[in-house]
Amino acid sequence: MRLLLVEDDPHLGDGLTVGLRQAGLAVDWVKDGLAAEHALKSETFDLLVLDLGLPGLTGMALLKGLRSRGQTLPVLILTARDTVSDKIAGLDGGADDYLVKPVDLDELTARIRALARRAAGRASPLLCHGPLALDPAAHSASLDGQPLELSSREFALLFTLVENAGRVMTRSQLEDSLYGWRDEPESNVLEVHIHHLRRKLGADFIRTLRGVGYTVPKL
Ligand code: CA
């Protein structure tokens, strides 16, 4: 899952970026509202974590612009101002959830998982596909009830493919969901992960559409 973090406090932004990446998310971090608006217009993100007090363009203005363009991605606002009216304004302005600073990283990642689950139309915290079950909170997987060992990249890649089962995912969509803007992956890294996943899941679990991308067929 690829997430855009908008936070102008360098220490908080850095800490959240490191923590959310350790939780297996692809995080892109920008420090002002205008850079965030540019990123949201030119790239695809699965979720936005938005500070309200920002230079350039306030979080509320950014949120209103986003919703007026019809962008539906889930938005979680971060606010230092623990007042009821700020929370109401944020939620009525199009945010889906909020967290008051200081941010607890475990609570933030749990709320992100819940928002992503709802956005994907799932009620269960487990993502299941036939004999495969993926648990994004524990980062664990099982196949036919047996534990399945996956690296964090393999887990993230498989989760994206299964969540989009029946749709063809292009190379760049999959690479973005794994890496965001950082660590430009070597050209064949994606193929290596796919190869390892096929060894673990069976050759037919992930199909290649030559020149287009990869898909997990719908059941
Ligand atoms: Ca701020």
mmCIF file of all heavy atoms in Angstrom, residues 7-8 51 53 101, ligand 1:
data_model
loop_
_atom_site.group_PDB
_atom_site.id
_atom_site.type_symbol
_atom_site.label_atom_id
_atom_site.label_comp_id
_atom_site.label_asym_id
_atom_site.label_seq_id
_atom_site.Cartn_x
_atom_site.Cartn_y
_atom_site.Cartn_z
ATOM 1 N N GLU A 7 3.526 16.372 6.401
ATOM 2 C CA GLU A 7 3.839 16.799 7.767
ATOM 3 C C GLU A 7 5.051 17.725 7.698
ATOM 4 O O GLU A 7 6.097 17.337 7.180
ATOM 5 C CB GLU A 7 4.137 15.559 8.625
ATOM 6 C CG GLU A 7 4.687 15.860 10.008
ATOM 7 C CD GLU A 7 3.774 16.753 10.825
ATOM 8 O OE1 GLU A 7 2.655 16.334 11.130
ATOM 9 O OE2 GLU A 7 4.178 17.901 11.127
ATOM 10 N N ASP A 8 4.901 18.961 8.219
ATOM 11 C CA ASP A 8 6.016 19.908 8.112
ATOM 12 C C ASP A 8 7.001 19.812 9.269
ATOM 13 O O ASP A 8 8.108 20.333 9.174
ATOM 14 C CB ASP A 8 5.487 21.349 7.989
ATOM 15 C CG ASP A 8 4.669 21.777 9.194
ATOM 16 O OD1 ASP A 8 3.899 20.939 9.702
ATOM 17 O OD2 ASP A 8 4.801 22.930 9.624
ATOM 18 N N ASP A 51 -1.311 16.436 8.022
ATOM 19 C CA ASP A 51 -1.240 17.423 9.100
ATOM 20 C C ASP A 51 -2.108 18.621 8.692
ATOM 21 O O ASP A 51 -2.202 18.939 7.505
ATOM 22 C CB ASP A 51 0.224 17.840 9.279
ATOM 23 C CG ASP A 51 0.414 18.843 10.398
ATOM 24 O OD1 ASP A 51 -0.369 18.820 11.361
ATOM 25 O OD2 ASP A 51 1.358 19.658 10.297
ATOM 26 N N GLY A 53 -1.896 21.979 10.106
ATOM 27 C CA GLY A 53 -1.133 23.229 10.081
ATOM 28 C C GLY A 53 0.093 23.084 9.207
ATOM 29 O O GLY A 53 1.086 22.482 9.597
ATOM 30 N N LYS A 101 -2.179 14.731 18.001
ATOM 31 C CA LYS A 101 -0.777 14.591 18.403
ATOM 32 C C LYS A 101 -0.673 14.725 19.924
ATOM 33 O O LYS A 101 -1.439 15.479 20.517
ATOM 34 C CB LYS A 101 0.072 15.672 17.728
ATOM 35 C CG LYS A 101 0.122 15.537 16.209
ATOM 36 C CD LYS A 101 0.917 16.708 15.633
ATOM 37 C CE LYS A 101 0.824 16.720 14.120
ATOM 38 N NZ LYS A 101 1.489 17.899 13.535
HETATM 39 CA CA CA B 1 2.284 21.359 11.256
#
